[in-house]
Amino acid sequence: MCGIVGYIGKRPAVEVLLKGLSRLEYRGYDSTGIALRLETENSEGSKIEIRKSEGKLENVQKLATSLPAQAKNSLCGIGHTRWATHGKPTTQNAHPHRTGHVVLVHNGIIENYQEIKEELLARGHKPASETDSELFGFLVLDEMAKGLGLREAVIVSFRGIIGVCSVVVMSERELGKIIGVRNGTPMVAALDPSGGAILASDAQPILEYTNDVFFMGDGDLVELSEGGAEFFDLTTGLPKKVESTHLDWSIDRIDRGGYPHYMLKEIYEQPTALVDTLNALLDRAKIESFPLAKHRGTELLMAAEELVFVACGSSWHAALLGKYWLEKYARISVSVELASEFRYRDPVLRPGALVIGVSQSGETADTLAVIRAMKKQGVPTLAVVNVRGSPIAREAEGVFFTAAGPEIGVASTKALLTQFLTLLTFAGALSAKRHHEHGKKGSTDPLTDALFKNTLVLPHALTAYLEATDGVAKQAQTIAKSLVDAKGFFFIGRGYSYPVALEGALKLKEIAYVHAEGYAAGELKHGPIAMIDSDMVVVVLAPKDAWRDKTVSNLEEVKARGARIVSIGAPSDSHLRSLSDFWIPLPELEDDALLPFAMTPAVQLLSYEIAVLKGTDIDKPRNLAKSVTVE
Ligand code: F6R
């Protein structure tokens, strides 16, 4: 996901920016760029020099070696790593963007970019890139043309923006300033003890210079200058005080990115893990929806007439969720099997069946055994695995690698979400294939196209959801305090929410050692409802989707029997909220099918906060192992 660094002070800016961007590489990106202030005009008559490139940071590091001396000695600049949402990951679409004398970088989504673009075209502007980001530069340019200073122009321009986005702007007209705005995506600023100031998408690039940082809130604007950093309120434009925080981080905690536990860090890394996984799965140079990269795994998937998933634990939950997506979008027959059961059955597989092992570790003994046995029988096999070189990856005929990166917390979080994404992508790719086969060659399928579009912006939406001040993390903390002594928990849901309910219960058991059951909401009355009394908590997953009303009826049944209710639903669902003792609103996502990507972090955080209060060993829960290599 996009990363931002800005610096002004006494150090060579190019070094601060490139080092800072390297610290943000973990966020996932597909192009990079830097902009440096010059003391005198360059050969193009401008005072800000830009270098950018598609691909990895090293491309820009190479370009930086041939910068003119005055750019190399520059003491002020901004840098960016981009993950493409609007427009392909090309050099032209890479940030920084120049619009006249305005140069900017941007992180997030401008939702009303189409309207803004039309208005700008009507005003005679000609955007050079396909990005939504560049448009903001035109807005600032027009406001400055009316006589406003850079800071005021940014404030006024922001009034027309709908969406979650942070921007950092420079102008050749006010070369001693960098203006940064946080609006939904994170931004941290700090004073450089040797003079000047720095800002970045997180504290990692800053810790090199100081441990005292300002965590900006949504709607905060910072103005960096050689004199330091001043904060303003984006709505009123008035100066405001932002308290500084001293990060007394041990090396170990720096390794954990400042988080008290790896699990929490990994929960927050989920948007990045999704970005990296999409990059790994797709051939992003293609324009169609869900263009899977070409390899043996893709061939096997595309040829399959029926899918049989085998997995254990959380990976089995991922497969179950995948079934809902695959049936809905790809209309393909799917079965989901527990590997430990399947391997000792005598299953009947039809010709055309593809057996898919889903495993984060790639080592799980039961899943591996099934893949080996199927291979022996000549059944095509595919693996969805997070660890390269792992036995399941080596055994299966084709492999898709999720790109969650190393997951250190034993209880899976980000690896699971990347499995979700992989299976959603399978559904999208098979749906697109099906559409072509039905004689609509060259045409597009609106349902799949919309899903793809919404999937590309999902990591941004998830970041905003996780990082919101007083958002899901805070809500989970408050709820945990009230429920830490509950006798037991049920997690219930229907449709897409059912596998998430299973996962929520598993997480709570694993890390907090609290008894919890995940149930399909419709199953409660077939037995488990006998357990319900006022010592029981029922976590109800009821987003506004096709299943919501039925789930709410089940909620009423357990509420009538005294259970305390935690609901997770649409922010606008005041009825659901009124029925609940505790409430976690979900983000408004365009597509119901993507809600599991937000519901899952919500149940992860709830379990995490309860575990913190219980004082358990969260990253290494008792009796559990990361790789289960025995039966
Ligand atoms: C739960 C968890 C486990 C694993 C299961 C299978 O947090 O991580 O339930 O999902 O042990 O492991 P893999 O996915 O490595 O095959």
Side-chain angles (χ1 to χ4, degrees):
M1 203 107 54
C2 303
I4 290 176
V5 186
Y7 172 75
I8 178 164
K10 297 200 160 60
R11 306 170 194 269
V14 66
E15 284 170 26
V16 178
L17 298 179
L18 292 176
K19 203 183 273 182
L21 291 176
S22 72
R23 295 259 148 81
L24 296 177
E25 274 189 294
Y26 77 91
R27 297 168 69 84
Y29 67 102
D30 42 35
S31 61
T32 328
I34 52 174
L36 297 157
R37 177 187 75 183
L38 306 177
E39 294 311 317
T40 53
E41 282 181 6
N42 62 14
S43 54
E44 281 133 36
S46 65
K47 282 193 151 188
I48 296 179
E49 186 99 16
I50 296 176
R51 291 289 183 279
K52 54 189 189 176
S53 169
E54 60 188 63
K56 289 292 162 193
L57 177 61
E58 61 194 43
N59 296 348
V60 171
Q61 282 164 335
K62 269 188 212 133
L63 292 174
T65 56
S66 59
L67 277 167
Q70 65 157 335
K72 275 189 185 152
N73 298 330
S74 167
L75 303 175
C76 170
I78 57 180
H80 189 263
T81 49
R82 170 177 189 248
W83 189 68
T85 53
H86 292 68
K88 288 193 208 105
T90 59
T91 299
Q92 188 174 34
N93 288 336
H95 301 213
H97 290 290
R98 169 188 288 285
T99 313
H101 57 83
V102 174
V103 172
L104 66 80
V105 295
H106 163 240
N107 177 11
I109 310 275
I110 298 178
E111 281 169 19
N112 56 335
Y113 83 102
Q114 203 54 45
E115 288 151 46
I116 296 177
K117 190 167 183 176
E118 277 158 27
E119 194 186 315
L120 290 170
L121 291 173
R123 285 193 224 160
H125 290 304
K126 293 191 178 63
S129 75
E130 299 163 315
T131 66
D132 53 348
S133 317
E134 187 195 1
L135 305 180
F136 190 78
F138 285 105
L139 297 179
V140 175
L141 195 71
D142 282 359
E143 294 305 329
M144 288 184 79
K146 290 180 200 161
L148 294 185
L150 177 60
R151 172 163 35 91
E152 293 80 9
V154 169
I155 290 172
V156 173
S157 302
F158 237 96
R159 293 194 186 131
I161 298 291
I162 300 174
V164 165
C165 58
S166 297
V167 291
V168 177
V169 192
M170 298 169 74
S171 162
E172 285 169 348
R173 301 264 165 91
E174 295 189 33
L175 280 166
K177 286 182 191 165
I178 294 173
I179 306 292
V181 175
R182 177 189 159 139
N183 180 40
T185 54
M187 192 176 287
V188 187
L191 304 178
D192 182 343
S194 69
I198 180 166
L199 62 75
S201 297
D202 69 31
Q204 313 246 21
I206 297 177
L207 285 168
E208 183 91 23
Y209 312 104
T210 176
N211 284 48
D212 295 304
V213 302
F214 301 96
F215 286 105
M216 292 167 63
D218 286 340
D220 286 352
L221 177 149
V222 66
E223 180 173 311
L224 306 189
S225 67
E226 277 159 18
E230 284 179 88
F231 295 93
F232 297 85
D233 185 302
L234 183 63
T235 318
T236 62
L238 297 173
K240 76 176 276 187
K241 194 162 165 48
V242 175
E243 294 297 332
S244 84
T245 306
H246 182 76
L247 298 175
D248 194 8
W249 289 358
S250 60
I251 292 295
D252 178 41
R253 182 140 180 183
I254 288 173
D255 263 1
R256 282 187 260 118
Y259 292 97
H261 298 100
Y262 279 107
M263 181 179 174
L264 190 61
K265 173 174 181 259
E266 287 159 1
I267 289 174
Y268 278 88
E269 281 173 353
Q270 292 183 111
T272 308
L274 296 183
V275 166
D276 289 342
T277 300
L278 277 174
N279 284 344
L281 289 172
L282 302 177
D283 178 353
R284 304 251 355 247
K286 293 209 174 131
I287 46 166
E288 71 256 33
S289 293
F290 296 103
L292 284 177
K294 247 185 160 173
H295 54 79
R296 181 71 187 129
T298 300
E299 282 168 17
L300 288 166
L301 183 71
M302 290 299 153
E305 287 163 29
E306 178 181 340
L307 306 179
V308 179
F309 285 99
V310 287
C312 304
S314 290
S315 297
W316 185 82
H317 299 158
L320 188 60
L321 179 58
K323 176 178 166 80
Y324 284 82
W325 286 321
L326 283 153
E327 285 177 350
K328 171 173 172 166
Y329 290 99
R331 306 297 303 136
I332 187 167
S333 164
V334 179
S335 48
V336 178
E337 303 280 356
L338 289 168
S340 55
E341 287 297 312
F342 188 82
R343 71 181 283 198
Y344 295 113
R345 287 205 335 248
D346 199 359
V348 180
L349 292 177
R350 272 174 284 195
L354 174 67
V355 172
I356 307 179
V358 182
S359 170
Q360 20 141 353
S361 64
E363 292 187 57
T364 301
D366 288 316
T367 311
L368 177 61
V370 174
I371 295 292
R372 282 193 176 136
M374 290 299 114
K375 231 174 116 181
K376 234 186 206 160
Q377 291 177 29
V379 176
T381 53
L382 187 66
V384 174
V385 170
N386 194 47
V387 181
R388 282 175 191 270
S390 57
I392 295 176
R394 284 203 305 263
E395 287 287 339
E397 203 180 326
V399 190
F400 284 88
F401 287 105
T402 51
E407 190 176 63
I408 297 178
V410 166
S412 184
T413 51
K414 61 176 182 169
L416 175 74
L417 240 66
T418 61
Q419 291 173 342
F420 284 6
L421 183 62
T422 305
L423 302 189
L424 176 86
T425 302
F426 286 3
L430 286 169
S431 162
K433 172 189 165 237
R434 197 172 149 267
H435 190 77
H436 290 313
E437 279 172 1
H438 284 71
K440 296 175 188 148
K441 229 183 169 81
S443 71
T444 53
D445 167 27
L447 192 67
T448 319
D449 290 349
L451 181 70
F452 185 55
K453 207 173 116 248
N454 294 327
T455 303
L456 287 183
V457 297
L458 172 71
H460 287 285
L462 187 55
T463 304
Y465 182 59
L466 287 172
E467 308 260 356
T469 331
D470 294 330
V472 59
K474 195 76 199 237
Q475 289 144 7
Q477 220 171 47
T478 312
I479 297 171
K481 278 188 198 138
S482 299
L483 298 181
V484 63
D485 293 321
K487 186 173 74 182
F489 284 68
F490 278 94
F491 286 71
I492 62 168
R494 289 169 182 254
Y496 301 132
S497 305
Y498 167 44
V500 180
L502 296 177
E503 177 61 16
L506 181 64
K507 284 281 99 72
L508 192 59
K509 283 184 277 210
E510 283 183 292
I511 60 167
Y513 317 149
V514 174
H515 186 244
E517 301 271 356
Y519 259 91
E523 276 293 296
L524 270 189
K525 63 171 81 64
H526 299 289
I529 201 162
M531 301 276 299
I532 299 293
D533 62 20
S534 57
D535 290 332
M536 264 310 168
V537 176
V538 181
V539 181
V540 182
L541 300 164
K544 267 200 180 150
D545 57 17
W547 298 277
R548 183 254 177 214
D549 294 352
K550 301 259 177 247
T551 308
V552 171
S553 304
N554 301 129
L555 179 162
E556 308 244 26
E557 289 157 9
V558 289
K559 189 178 166 63
R561 287 159 179 83
R564 281 176 290 170
I565 309 290
V566 181
S567 286
I568 302 181
S572 57
D573 198 341
S574 47
H575 177 231
L576 177 63
R577 186 179 188 167
S578 71
L579 293 173
S580 315
D581 300 289
F582 304 96
W583 168 243
I584 302 180
L586 291 165
E588 299 274 14
L589 297 183
E590 291 280 328
D591 217 316
D592 294 348
L594 299 179
L595 284 166
F597 291 94
M599 286 191 281
T600 306
V603 296
Q604 289 166 347
L605 284 166
L606 185 61
S607 304
Y608 172 81
E609 294 298 345
I610 293 174
V612 169
L613 295 175
K614 296 262 181 199
T616 58
D617 190 353
I618 292 178
D619 285 332
K620 292 190 224 72
R622 66 187 182 201
N623 309 338
L624 296 183
K626 191 74 183 153
S627 301
V628 186
T629 51
V630 291
E631 283 186 48

